[in-house]
Amino acid sequence: MSRRFPLAGLLRIRGIQERAAAAHLSRAALEQQRTEARERQVRNALTASADTPGDVRTLAALAAGRVAARSQLSDLAALQQTQRADLDAARACHTAARRAEHGLERLAERHTEREGARAEARDQAALDEIALRPAAPRPPEDRP
């Protein structure tokens, strides 16, 4: 009977950690994409030219709207910078988790190969022992 891989529990934990890191990386990338989309939306709104204002109030409202949009753009730029750092950290964490899991997987494969070789050697030894036993004498055949 082959032995169980002694680090199987750790391998399962590493797999869970890798999947968690992949999920975190996915969420970070999605958040960054959403922020970029929001920034494009605000920039498009800023570049869209409105009709010439008819009075001073409309002109003041347009100016206030542009100031608010520019403020929102600077906030989005700061958010994007933070999200890029989070995305880089998540990517590094995922890479480290994958490496850790991959190293244990290679150990598990080697263990499985060694155990398979041991089982084949035991089977071969049993076959060799059977082959070396002297044949049992055959009982005389009854002839009528």
Side-chain angles (χ1 to χ4, degrees):
M1 178 172 217
S2 65
R3 293 183 318 143
R4 192 175 144 257
F5 181 55
L7 300 175
L10 182 59
L11 180 58
R12 281 191 298 277
I13 289 171
R14 294 285 192 234
I16 291 168
Q17 289 173 336
E18 190 275 331
R19 287 188 297 278
H24 180 70
L25 176 61
S26 178
R27 280 191 306 274
L30 185 62
E31 287 174 9
Q32 185 182 26
Q33 290 171 354
R34 286 180 181 163
T35 302
E36 288 173 355
R38 180 68 181 136
E39 182 189 25
R40 282 192 303 273
Q41 184 182 17
V42 171
R43 286 191 185 279
N44 289 338
L46 274 175
T47 58
S49 62
D51 294 335
T52 56
D55 61 354
V56 175
R57 288 184 197 158
T58 307
L59 183 60
L62 283 173
R66 286 187 176 267
V67 168
R70 289 189 190 277
S71 174
Q72 187 178 18
L73 273 177
S74 67
D75 290 345
L76 285 172
L79 179 61
Q80 279 183 322
Q81 187 176 8
T82 302
Q83 286 177 337
R84 275 189 217 110
D86 289 345
L87 183 63
D88 291 342
R91 192 173 285 129
C93 182
H94 180 247
T95 301
R98 273 193 354 215
R99 281 187 187 138
E101 182 185 25
H102 183 67
L104 281 174
E105 284 174 345
R106 288 192 337 222
L107 283 175
E109 288 170 6
R110 286 190 210 137
H111 174 78
T112 302
E113 290 170 3
R114 273 194 315 270
E115 288 302 313
R118 286 180 185 158
E120 288 176 7
R122 281 192 304 269
D123 292 346
Q124 187 62 47
L127 289 174
D128 290 345
E129 184 179 324
I130 292 170
L132 292 177
R133 286 185 194 157
R138 299 176 94 195
E141 293 182 20
D142 293 329
R143 293 196 181 188

